[in-house]
Amino acid sequence: IVKLLSSSQGKKLLLVTAPAGFGKTTLVNEFTSSLGKTTAWVHVTPDIKNVFNLLTYITSSLNRINEQFGDVIFETIQLIENDTEKINDIDSALSELAGLMINELLMKFSEEILIVIDDLHELHNEKNVDHFIDLLINDLPDNIQIVIISRELPNLNLSHLRAKRLLGEVTQKEL
């Protein structure tokens, strides 16, 4: 299975989905350790309730790798969260945040980085999370790969990624 995961290198998204108890997190942890790549790991917990919380955690995880990463993203999230009533178009706000994240990734990281989002299914009712991840993946720099671990398929544009061969998948069948 680690060989299957390794064959997904160079893809923008690696998706590991299976019910509880199949060892998804352990498998991805072994995989990331075997690669020796720098990894930003976010475990979705009940205190992450929306896309802005998730983005804050992702940014914090990347900031631990490079302390110069994320200041503008943190400021923008804080402005949005402090005045959500002024947001007329959430899609525009998410698009701006995805652009900020992509620009920061380009400017602050030249090495290969894995961004692991573990237990994404915990945010299954938050459609803005899926939309943000789609926006991020569309323009993700070549040195960055997102790994999603979930009990269910996220509502992402997976058919587009499959068609462009930018998606690696490990499911219950392979586990």
Side-chain angles (χ1 to χ4, degrees), residues 1-172:
I1 295 175
V2 172
K3 285 183 181 180
L4 179 62
L5 290 172
S6 294
S7 69
S8 295
Q9 290 189 66
K11 308 224 185 255
K12 288 190 176 198
L13 176 64
L14 173 56
L15 186 58
V16 180
T17 57
F22 272 76
K24 301 176 296 291
T25 299
T26 302
L27 174 68
V28 171
N29 192 23
E30 288 175 12
F31 167 66
T32 58
S33 295
S34 73
L35 288 178
K37 290 183 183 177
T38 304
T39 303
W41 194 292
V42 175
H43 182 235
V44 178
T45 57
D47 61 320
I48 300 176
K49 296 180 182 358
N50 59 47
V51 67
F52 303 115
N53 295 152
L54 179 62
L55 184 54
T56 298
Y57 276 80
I58 292 170
T59 304
S60 294
S61 187
L62 289 163
N63 179 265
R64 283 191 289 279
I65 298 167
N66 180 339
E67 292 178 358
Q68 296 179 12
F69 182 87
D71 290 342
V72 175
I73 297 169
F74 286 132
E75 287 174 25
T76 305
I77 292 170
Q78 189 171 23
L79 287 171
I80 290 170
E81 286 187 316
N82 288 341
D83 213 352
T84 54
E85 292 172 12
K86 285 192 175 178
I87 298 175
N88 296 327
D89 182 10
I90 189 72
D91 289 342
S92 294
L94 294 177
S95 183
E96 182 177 331
L97 285 167
L100 287 173
M101 173 73 79
I102 289 160
N103 287 336
E104 287 263 343
L105 289 167
L106 284 166
M107 291 187 313
K108 306 293 194 236
F109 295 107
S110 57
E111 73 273 23
E112 291 189 9
I113 302 286
L114 295 172
I115 300 171
V116 178
I117 305 171
D118 192 359
D119 285 342
L120 184 65
H121 59 272
E122 295 289 343
L123 287 166
H124 62 91
N125 290 327
E126 180 59 41
K127 69 177 179 131
N128 292 325
V129 168
D130 295 327
H131 181 61
F132 175 78
I133 293 172
D134 269 335
L135 289 169
L136 194 59
I137 289 171
N138 281 337
D139 293 316
L140 202 62
D142 291 338
N143 60 317
I144 310 293
Q145 182 180 36
I146 295 176
V147 180
I148 293 177
I149 304 168
S150 183
R151 292 182 186 171
E152 55 197 43
L153 278 176
N155 192 21
L156 301 173
N157 192 354
L158 299 177
S159 58
H160 170 77
L161 293 171
R162 281 186 194 108
K164 293 195 170 240
R165 297 183 181 190
L166 297 173
L167 175 66
E169 294 179 272
V170 175
T171 64
Q172 176 180 345

